[in-house]
């Protein structure tokens, strides 16, 4: 089933707002989005701890699950790293 661009954007905006509100942290962007049955699953990149210089900020990826009414079903931190770190830990 194809998803409308408008709905994907709306779900992304909701996820960013909810993660910011629930964590009290600055969100940067949605880095992953998918449908898993009846649930939206998004990974949101967050500034976990600001440092100087900015390249040494601690970043985190939070995974948020939203239902079709944009209610948060689950939120958890799945990764933490230094902003300047380059690599793939998968």
């Amino acid at each position: 089933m194809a998803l409308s661009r408008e709905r994907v954007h709306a779900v992304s905006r909701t996820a960013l707002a909810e993660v910011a509100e629930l964590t009290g942290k600055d969100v940067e962007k949605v880095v992953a989005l998918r449908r898993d049955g009846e649930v939206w699953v998004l990974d949101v990149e967050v500034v976990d701890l600001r440092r100087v210089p900015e390249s040494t900020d601690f970043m985190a990826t939070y995974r948020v699950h939203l239902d079709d009414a944009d209610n948060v079903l689950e939120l958890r931190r799945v990764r933490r790293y230094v902003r300047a770190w380059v690599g793939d830990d998968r």
Side-chain angles (χ1 to χ4, degrees), residues 8-78:
V8 169
H9 285 236
V11 169
S12 296
R13 283 190 303 273
T14 298
L16 290 169
E18 290 292 338
V19 171
E21 183 177 332
L22 292 169
T23 65
K25 310 241 182 227
D26 294 330
V27 296
E28 292 215 336
K29 60 188 167 189
V30 171
V31 294
L33 177 146
R34 66 183 168 90
R35 277 291 278 187
D36 187 5
E38 298 296 315
V39 177
W40 292 93
V41 180
L42 299 95
D43 288 353
V44 176
E45 194 169 78
V46 171
V47 180
D48 210 33
L49 177 65
R50 291 213 180 268
R51 300 193 49 169
V52 176
E54 194 174 274
S55 61
T56 62
D57 287 349
F58 279 87
M59 304 296 292
T61 302
Y62 282 82
R63 181 158 297 146
V64 61
H65 294 220
L66 300 173
D67 65 14
D68 283 328
D70 293 343
N71 297 307
V72 175
L73 303 174
E74 180 179 340
L75 174 69
R76 64 188 166 100
R77 187 174 69 192
V78 295

